[in-house]
């Protein structure tokens, strides 16, 4: 791949100024780390050179990819979001895939390295009616890097997508990711995201059930330590009746880490009999860590079940004491409790994605 | 079984403790020898659960006076995990649910911590599974409970059986069972009591903390102590428990009132 000259600033690349904390969506998330860097083009060659497509998954022809790219973003109302614009301006690696019934598991690993470069991927998945796919996706960075990810997935009727995204970064690295999914009736999405180690990460899973009557299951775990900041802004919108959502977002905040979760659920008048549940749980491991968590439910339909909850706590003294009273040292007890806390999310990853988790606790069972 | 020459395992002298600056224990005295089964009875709020938690080292309780000697060691100097490793066991009144931590793994880590203290080799996953499967019989527990998270979604009876399973694995020297009978139906109570009887030996001791006679119908204590207002008011043999069953706790109030007047 020939290195192309990038514009000189993030603003030039995205065609818009960096979001500021005066904007509600970015209130808790400072992009200063990004502003302090100069965007440098990717020189690492084709990051997908070793990609092998399993049976049942084929590349979309270039013309078709050009025609469908952006549709899920538009349906999810995020085409204009700054990270999406940045991705478009950064000449992303584009990958369009068609998934048929009975497809074998797909693995997609992307390493942004540590040379201070910007790696951008734009992935488009089209799941045909009745298709099913287990997708394990890995993002990593080993030093200073910026990783821009835009994923779109269209789930046709009765399609099933089990999607695990494991993003393990570096305190010098930034990750900006949008995952935009549209679901047709009868389809099922399970999206499991795990992020840790990034100096700054912002992940926006967005799902639209175009006519309702689909199942959406979201599982998220984000871990911050030192001076890291992780932000998840999710949005699920039901544009028809009988849709289901089951969302659990978990946070661990250690050191002087900061964690942000904003979970929007939109249930307009057309979305009668929606059954949605959202739970945000945060664990504070230090006095200097900070957690901001906010459910954002907009419910207009009157015949719906929408539950939400948010907890912020420390490790429970009674749980620690119970383990200690069985001879387990306090630090090991704390590790066990942490691992247990994370397992809720981690055990739902597809097999290959689980294999990419950091080998240290709490990401592996101790 | 009482043998006056049996070694003293636990010696509690004038133990005083408080929680949130509220004094609860006002000078407890108790001597437990090898081979003995003791029962501490008393009403809610008499301090009997506090006694069990203080002995196990719960961080919410502050010892404000007195001594506890366990086999010639000052127990109060030790962390909760050290107390457990040298053979003190607390069966919880309300066993804690720990989501995400597998019961099997928890039992293995705990068993190995105790084995290490005793100079025995740690058990790997396979060796431990053999051991735990053998011990499951003590409490007639379904092996399926090993695969679940610690106590999560267990019924009251299953939680108590899991406590006795832990006791069977850890082979404590002094086991304190805090209201192990509460919340049990008669069948579960029989199983739990049979487990405790099976584990009792001339070399260890058991301290039962209970409200009711019904546990003591199944596990015969050598010594019965009645606790009230943070101290042991009267001690005796098994007949004391029967007397309590007949007369209730009202005489305790009278005796306390007399004590205050005196």
């Amino acid at each position: 791949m020939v290195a192309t000259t990038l514009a000189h600033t993030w603003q030039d690349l995205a065609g818009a100024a960096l979001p500021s904390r005066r904007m509600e969506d970015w209130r808790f998330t400072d992009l200063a780390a990004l502003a302090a860097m100069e965007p440098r083009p990717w020189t690492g060659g084709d990051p997908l050179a070793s990609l092998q497509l399993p049976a049942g998954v084929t590349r979309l022809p270039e013309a078709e990819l050009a025609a469908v790219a952006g549709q899920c973003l538009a349906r999810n109302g995020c085409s204009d979001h700054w990270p999406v614009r940045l991705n478009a301006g950064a000449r992303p690696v584009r990958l369009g895939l068609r998934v048929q019934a009975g497809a074998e598991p797909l693995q997609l690993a992307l390493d942004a390295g540590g040379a201070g470069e910007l790696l951008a991927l734009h992935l488009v998945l089209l799941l045909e009616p009745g298709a099913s796919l287990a997708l394990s996706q890995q993002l990593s960075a080993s030093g200073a890097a910026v990783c821009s990810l835009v994923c779109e997935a269209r789930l046709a009727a009765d399609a099933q997508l089990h999607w695990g995204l494991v993003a393990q970064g570096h305190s010098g690295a930034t990750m900006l990711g949008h995952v935009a999914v549209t679901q047709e009736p009868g389809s099922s999405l399970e999206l499991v995201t795990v992020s840790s180690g990034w100096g700054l990460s912002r992940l926006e899973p967005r799902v639209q059930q175009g006519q309702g009557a689909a199942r959406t299951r979201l599982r998220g775990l984000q871990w911050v330590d030192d001076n890291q900041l992780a932000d998840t802004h999710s949005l699920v919108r039901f544009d028809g009746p009988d849709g289901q959502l089951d969302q659990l977002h978990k946070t661990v905040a250690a050191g002087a880490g900061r964690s942000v979760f904003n979970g929007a659920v939109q249930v307009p008048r057309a979305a009668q009999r929606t059954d949605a549940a959202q739970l945000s749980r945060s664990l504070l491991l230090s006095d200097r860590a900070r957690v901001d968590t906010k459910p954002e439910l907009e419910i207009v339909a009157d015949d719906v079940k929408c539950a939400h909850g948010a907890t912020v706590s420390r490790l429970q003294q009674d749980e620690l004491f119970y383990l200690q009273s069985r001879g387990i040292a306090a630090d090991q007890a704390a590790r066990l409790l942490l691992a247990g806390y994370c397992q809720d999310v981690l055990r739902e990853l597809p097999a290959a994605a689980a294999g990419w988790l950091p080998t240290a606790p709490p990401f592996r069972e101790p | 079984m009482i043998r006056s020459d049996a070694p003293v395992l636990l010696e509690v002298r004038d133990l005083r403790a408080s929680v949130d600056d509220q004094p609860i224990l006002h000078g407890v005295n108790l001597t437990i020898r090898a081979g003995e089964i003791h029962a501490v009875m008393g009403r809610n709020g008499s301090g009997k659960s506090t006694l069990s938690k203080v002995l196990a080292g719960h961080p919410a309780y502050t010892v404000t006076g007195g001594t506890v000697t366990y086999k010639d060691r000052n127990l109060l100097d030790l962390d909760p995990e050290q107390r457990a490793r040298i053979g003190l066991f607390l069966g919880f009144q309300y066993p804690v649910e720990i989501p995400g931590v597998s019961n099997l793994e928890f039992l293995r880590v705990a068993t190995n911590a105790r084995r290490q203290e005793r100079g025995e080799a740690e058990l790997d996953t396979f060796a431990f599974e053999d051991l735990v499967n053998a011990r499951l019989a003590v409490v007639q527990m379904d092996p399926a409970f090993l695969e679940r998270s610690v106590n999560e979604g267990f019924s009251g009876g299953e939680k108590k059986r899991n406590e006795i399973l832990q006791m069977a694995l850890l082979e404590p020297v002094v086991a304190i069972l805090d209201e192990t009978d509460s919340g049990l139906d008669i069948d579960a109570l029989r199983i739990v009591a049979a487990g405790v009887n099976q584990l009792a030996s001339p070399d260890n001791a058991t301290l039962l903390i209970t409200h009711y006679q019904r546990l003591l119908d199944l596990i015969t204590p050598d010594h019965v102590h009645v606790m009230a207002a943070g101290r042991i008011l009267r001690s005796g043999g098994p007949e004391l428990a029967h007397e309590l069953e007949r007369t209730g706790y009202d005489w305790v109030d009278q005796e306390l009132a007399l004590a205050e007047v005196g």
Side-chain angles (χ1 to χ4, degrees):
Chain A
M1 179 192 282
V2 179
T4 49
T5 309
L6 286 187
H8 291 294
T9 66
W10 298 106
Q11 172 158 359
D12 293 341
L13 264 187
L18 260 78
S20 87
R21 294 186 55 184
R22 285 190 299 278
M23 302 161 77
E24 182 60 28
D25 255 6
W26 294 87
R27 213 175 116 202
F28 298 109
T29 303
D30 197 340
L31 291 179
L34 204 59
M37 287 176 74
E38 190 172 303
R40 286 171 48 204
W42 180 250
T43 60
D46 180 0
L48 296 176
S50 61
L51 175 67
Q52 294 195 331
L53 295 182
V57 180
T58 50
R59 279 188 195 252
L60 289 180
E62 201 54 45
E64 190 176 358
L65 174 57
V68 298
Q71 287 181 357
C72 292
L73 293 168
R75 294 271 293 273
N76 275 287
C78 56
S79 309
D80 275 343
H81 283 196
W82 193 85
V84 174
R85 296 181 65 151
L86 172 70
N87 184 274
R91 298 169 187 261
V93 177
R94 281 174 187 267
L95 177 65
L97 300 173
R98 179 184 305 284
V99 180
Q100 291 161 319
E104 295 291 319
L106 171 64
Q107 299 171 28
L108 203 58
L110 212 61
D111 183 5
E117 296 178 353
L118 166 62
L119 176 60
L121 172 73
H122 185 172
L123 172 70
V124 178
L125 295 170
L126 299 183
L127 274 74
E128 296 192 334
S132 65
L133 179 68
L135 169 58
S136 291
Q137 194 175 1
Q138 181 187 35
L139 280 184
S140 56
S142 51
V146 178
C147 200
S148 162
L149 179 71
V150 168
C151 300
E152 299 182 76
R154 193 170 84 196
L155 275 59
D158 302 319
Q160 296 181 18
L161 178 57
H162 183 193
W163 190 346
L165 173 62
V166 173
Q168 197 202 0
H170 181 277
S171 49
T174 295
M175 189 258 287
L176 297 170
H178 265 69
V179 176
V181 182
T182 61
Q183 289 189 253
E184 288 179 19
S187 68
S188 164
L189 168 71
E190 176 167 16
L191 175 63
V192 186
T193 59
V194 177
S195 107
S196 71
W198 302 87
L200 169 64
S201 77
R202 163 94 167 194
L203 191 60
E204 301 200 30
R206 300 172 74 92
V207 180
Q208 186 225 18
Q209 293 193 7
Q211 301 160 64
R215 291 183 304 279
T216 305
R217 185 174 171 87
L218 301 180
R219 290 290 179 271
L221 173 67
Q222 63 193 25
W223 177 288
V224 286
D225 202 342
D226 302 326
N227 288 301
Q228 298 161 359
L229 188 158
D231 174 349
T232 296
H233 266 65
S234 69
L235 169 70
V236 178
R237 180 177 172 85
F238 299 90
D239 279 320
D242 300 305
Q244 293 173 22
L245 168 67
D246 175 2
Q247 180 175 20
L248 172 66
H249 190 268
K250 285 192 156 186
T251 283
V252 181
R258 296 195 54 181
S259 169
V260 181
F261 173 70
N262 191 97
V265 178
Q266 297 178 349
V267 187
R269 186 163 302 283
Q272 298 295 349
R273 298 180 302 281
T274 294
D275 185 351
Q278 178 192 77
L279 179 61
S280 152
R281 292 194 60 196
S282 303
L283 194 56
L284 272 173
L285 295 185
S286 119
D287 291 335
R288 293 173 301 144
R290 182 183 163 122
V291 168
D292 291 285
T293 181
K294 182 171 127 227
E296 195 181 294
L297 276 63
E298 296 171 29
I299 303 166
V300 181
D302 47 18
D303 178 18
V304 299
K305 278 196 277 185
C306 291
H308 68 91
T311 64
V312 181
S313 65
R314 295 173 179 276
L315 282 179
Q316 298 296 308
Q317 189 186 55
D318 278 347
E319 295 180 6
L320 275 171
F321 176 66
Y322 188 66
L323 296 178
Q324 285 179 274
S325 78
R326 298 301 180 248
I328 300 170
D331 56 344
Q332 191 180 9
R335 282 200 301 275
L336 268 173
L337 292 180
L338 262 181
Y341 174 87
C342 297
Q343 274 306 311
D344 261 1
V345 172
L346 299 179
R347 67 177 168 224
E348 301 215 19
L349 284 168
W356 286 327
L357 290 170
T359 48
F363 295 101
R364 297 295 176 93
E365 288 196 61
Chain B
M1 181 181 35
I2 305 177
R3 281 188 298 134
S4 57
D5 61 338
V8 172
L9 298 179
L10 192 72
E11 177 95 61
V12 180
R13 281 283 156 262
D14 195 29
L15 182 63
R16 295 161 188 274
S18 61
V19 61
D20 296 333
D21 294 327
Q22 178 80 34
I24 308 279
L25 298 185
H26 297 278
V28 174
N29 292 291
L30 192 61
T31 302
I32 299 180
R33 292 175 184 275
E36 294 179 345
I37 296 178
H38 288 241
V40 170
M41 304 183 73
R43 280 193 176 132
N44 284 335
S46 61
K48 55 191 197 304
S49 267
T50 296
L51 174 63
S52 71
K53 289 194 174 111
V54 169
L55 292 176
H58 194 291
Y61 298 84
T62 310
V63 174
T64 52
T67 60
V68 180
T69 310
Y70 171 88
K71 295 213 282 186
D72 298 329
R73 291 181 75 165
N74 178 359
L75 191 72
L76 301 177
D77 268 355
L78 304 177
D79 291 335
E81 57 264 39
Q82 289 171 307
R83 299 181 195 197
R85 287 175 196 169
I86 61 174
L88 190 82
F89 179 85
L90 172 62
F92 281 56
Q93 181 178 6
Y94 302 109
V96 179
E97 296 191 15
I98 306 185
V101 175
S102 110
N103 201 26
L104 184 66
E105 185 60 17
F106 159 66
L107 295 170
R108 192 174 75 88
V109 173
T111 303
N112 278 334
R114 174 95 173 100
R115 288 180 65 89
Q116 213 175 5
E117 180 70 29
R118 296 206 282 189
E120 297 166 349
E122 288 194 27
L123 297 176
D124 64 22
T125 319
F126 299 109
F128 180 70
E129 277 189 35
D130 291 343
L131 175 68
V132 79
N133 280 318
R135 294 288 196 271
L136 279 172
V138 173
V139 283
Q140 300 175 31
M141 209 162 121
D142 186 338
F145 285 101
L146 298 174
E147 303 305 324
R148 294 174 42 185
S149 294
V150 178
N151 294 326
E152 191 183 29
F154 287 27
S155 72
E158 289 157 357
K159 283 180 182 170
K160 296 296 172 76
R161 284 201 232 181
N162 203 31
E163 294 291 288
I164 305 303
L165 173 62
Q166 290 165 46
M167 185 173 149
L169 287 164
L170 297 175
E171 300 175 355
V173 178
V174 175
I176 305 165
L177 302 177
D178 186 7
E179 306 223 7
T180 291
D181 49 338
S182 70
L184 292 189
D185 62 34
I186 190 68
D187 292 330
L189 184 67
R190 282 211 180 95
I191 292 168
V192 163
V196 173
N197 282 327
Q198 194 182 332
L199 297 170
S201 84
D203 300 318
N204 62 27
T206 309
L207 175 58
L208 303 168
I209 294 194
T210 184
H211 222 62
Y212 304 108
Q213 169 63 32
R214 64 175 200 158
L215 179 67
L216 305 184
D217 289 338
L218 299 168
I219 306 173
T220 310
D222 302 299
H223 298 276
V224 174
H225 313 274
V226 179
M227 206 164 164
R231 57 177 86 90
I232 288 174
L233 208 61
R234 200 193 282 186
S235 295
E239 73 286 349
L240 181 53
H242 291 292
E243 186 188 328
L244 267 179
E245 185 76 355
R246 279 198 316 274
T247 60
Y249 283 98
D250 286 344
W251 63 269
V252 170
D253 296 332
Q254 292 164 13
E255 219 161 286
L256 274 180
L258 280 175
E260 273 167 30
V261 172

